[in-house]
């Protein structure tokens, strides 16, 4: 295939070459006039009716000397059926994923948010049970490294939340050409005027901000003896359904909400979290592998999905309940 020979099969690579050739024309075609992703894959599908606009034809003739524009699109029409089906399926997946993430995330880039902890290096006065900090009630395996801006703390990264983030990061890399930024919860809470995907329950400040500031969050957390700083053990949805985590059955939650539907109708906050050792990683695995099911059921509405996760594998996960908000 001509594009494969020139290493131009991805939309991003094609656009770079397009802009370079467009600048060499007389008169030049300004940057940013290249085909959108959906248009690019339509060109490759062999289903074009007629030819692209004149300025596209000028650039394509420059990009592929020795070929007429008609010949280029005849090649696409003559491509094997399997190849056309592959490109068509990829186009469909890209469009559907864009709908799942929301228009603003596709336009401005994808932000994945991980929780952090600061661990003092010098001894501190132990807290009495009633004074135990809210976020310290969650036991987590952590990776720690010295903070470069302070010499008296370690910054700790929870292992399970990072593993969950990587599941989702991997699928986003395969299905989108959008930029992906990975930021700490502390950074995002300080500047939350953006869409994002957040990992972790109350260990993540983004999740806590949602639970504490929204009048009617789609899910809440219940705990036994919460006054004494115990673990949260139960997830409750707005329809009254409740889910408990146990040693052999963890609970994961995936929620997609609109923080400001009037101001930012295309903005979603997506939360991926859970109760138990595999709650968050199981929810992340499910999100990475079954986002199409969630999107087809929810459309553009807010939703919260509860998944059950087995004790032996992040992938031993199944959807138990999905609550979809009405549009009214």
């Amino acid at each position: 295939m001509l594009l494969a020979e020139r290493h131009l099969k991805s939309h991003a690579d094609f656009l770079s070459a397009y802009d370079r050739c467009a600048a060499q024309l007389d008169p030049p075609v300004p940057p940013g006039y290249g085909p959108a992703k959906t248009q690019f894959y339509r060109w490759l599908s062999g289903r074009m009716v007629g030819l692209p606009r004149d300025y596209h034809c000028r650039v394509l003739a420059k990009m592929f000397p020795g070929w007429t524009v008609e010949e280029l699109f005849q090649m696409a029409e003559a491509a094997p059926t399997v190849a056309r089906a592959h490109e068509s399926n990829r186009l469909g997946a890209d469009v559907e994923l864009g709908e799942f993430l929301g228009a603003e995330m596709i336009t401005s880039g994808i932000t994945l948010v991980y929780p952090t902890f600061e661990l003092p290096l010098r001894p501190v006065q132990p807290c009495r049970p009633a004074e135990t900090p809210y976020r310290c009630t969650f036991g987590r395996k952590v990776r720690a490294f010295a903070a470069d801006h302070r010499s008296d703390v370690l910054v700790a990264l929870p292992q399970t939340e990072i593993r969950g983030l990587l599941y989702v990061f991997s699928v986003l890399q395969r299905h989108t050409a959008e930029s992906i930024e990975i930021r700490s919860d502390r950074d995002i809470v300080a500047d939350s005027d953006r869409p994002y995907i957040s990992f972790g329950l109350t260990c993540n400040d983004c999740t806590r901000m949602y639970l504490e500031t929204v009048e009617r969050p789609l899910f809440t957390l219940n705990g036994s003896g919460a006054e004494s700083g115990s673990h949260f053990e139960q997830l409750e949805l707005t329809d009254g359904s409740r889910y408990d985590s146990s040693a052999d059955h963890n609970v994961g939650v995936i929620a997609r909400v609109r923080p400001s539907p009037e101001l930012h109708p295309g903005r979603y906050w997506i939360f991926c979290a859970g109760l138990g050792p595999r709650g968050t990683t199981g929810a992340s695995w499910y999100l990475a592998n079954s986002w199409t099911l969630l999107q087809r059921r929810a459309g553009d509405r807010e939703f919260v999905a509860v998944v059950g996760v087995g004790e032996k594998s992040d992938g031993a996960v199944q959807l138990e309940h999905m609550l979809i908000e009405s549009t009214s």
Side-chain angles (χ1 to χ4, degrees):
M1 185 179 178
L2 191 59
L3 293 184
E5 293 172 359
R6 303 188 183 201
H7 306 289
L8 299 178
K9 290 185 68 176
S10 77
H11 178 244
D13 291 339
F14 184 89
L15 275 188
S16 296
Y18 183 102
D19 286 342
R20 285 196 302 271
C21 291
Q24 298 170 15
L25 296 176
D26 185 19
V29 175
Y33 275 68
K37 183 181 291 186
T38 53
Q39 186 178 18
F40 172 66
Y41 288 116
R42 192 176 299 116
W43 286 1
L44 298 184
S45 71
R47 298 175 183 174
M48 279 284 293
V49 177
L51 296 176
R53 294 188 177 187
D54 179 64
Y55 67 87
H56 283 316
C57 293
R58 292 174 57 219
V59 178
L60 290 172
K62 181 72 174 178
M63 291 177 69
F64 303 100
W67 295 83
T68 66
V69 176
E70 290 81 2
E71 288 172 335
L72 291 174
F73 283 93
Q74 286 171 3
M75 286 179 61
E77 292 173 3
T81 302
V82 173
R84 292 205 304 270
H86 172 75
E87 297 295 350
S88 179
N89 290 340
R90 180 175 175 181
L91 170 61
D94 287 345
V95 171
E96 195 168 21
L97 182 57
E99 293 171 349
F100 180 80
L101 298 174
E104 186 175 346
M105 198 176 298
I106 292 300
T107 302
S108 62
I110 301 168
T111 300
L112 306 181
V113 185
Y114 61 89
T116 58
F117 303 91
E118 284 193 354
L119 307 179
L121 292 179
R122 57 174 177 260
V124 296
Q125 187 70 25
C127 296
R128 293 190 297 274
E131 298 173 346
T132 302
Y134 187 65
R135 67 187 294 169
C136 290
T137 62
F138 285 81
R140 287 287 188 270
K141 293 182 180 179
V142 298
R143 305 291 190 193
F145 55 89
D148 56 8
H149 62 292
R150 292 182 58 184
S151 60
D152 59 342
V153 298
L154 292 178
V155 173
L157 306 182
Q159 186 183 61
T160 53
E161 281 73 14
I162 295 298
R163 190 163 81 244
L165 182 151
L166 292 176
Y167 286 146
V168 175
F169 177 79
S170 177
V171 76
L172 291 174
Q173 276 198 316
R174 292 197 303 270
H175 287 286
T176 77
E178 310 303 328
S179 63
I180 302 175
E181 186 178 23
I182 300 177
R183 302 283 297 276
S184 75
D185 57 344
R186 194 168 308 159
D187 291 340
I188 299 304
V189 167
D191 181 17
S192 60
D193 187 21
R194 68 177 74 199
Y196 57 75
I197 305 174
S198 174
F199 298 84
L201 273 175
T202 54
C203 67
N204 191 309
D205 286 345
C206 292
T207 313
R208 292 177 58 198
M209 178 177 66
Y210 170 70
L211 294 176
E212 294 171 3
T213 60
V214 173
E215 182 177 352
R216 184 177 174 269
L218 293 183
F219 65 94
T220 54
L221 299 172
N222 302 322
S224 58
E227 298 83 1
S228 61
S230 67
H231 285 55
F232 287 100
E233 297 175 345
Q234 189 179 73
L235 178 76
E236 182 173 355
L237 308 189
T238 53
D239 63 359
S241 56
R242 299 180 179 183
Y243 300 88
D244 300 293
S245 179
S246 63
D248 59 353
H249 179 81
N250 293 174
V251 174
V253 59
I254 303 162
R256 187 183 69 182
V257 305
R258 279 194 175 96
S260 305
E262 294 82 12
L263 291 176
H264 305 287
R267 175 182 297 179
Y268 289 131
W269 287 351
I270 299 175
F271 299 99
C272 196
L275 297 172
R278 293 190 184 275
T280 295
T281 50
S284 302
W285 191 95
Y286 189 88
L287 176 61
N289 290 277
S290 301
W291 61 266
T292 52
L293 172 64
L294 300 175
Q295 174 60 25
R296 289 169 187 176
R297 289 191 179 185
D300 63 353
R301 292 170 291 176
E302 295 181 299
F303 72 83
V304 56
V306 177
V307 296
V309 190
E311 62 177 326
K312 295 183 179 180
S313 169
D314 297 340
V317 56
Q318 61 181 3
L319 182 65
E320 294 190 353
H321 182 53
M322 186 172 180
L323 175 63
I324 302 172
E325 287 286 270
S326 64
T327 55
S328 59

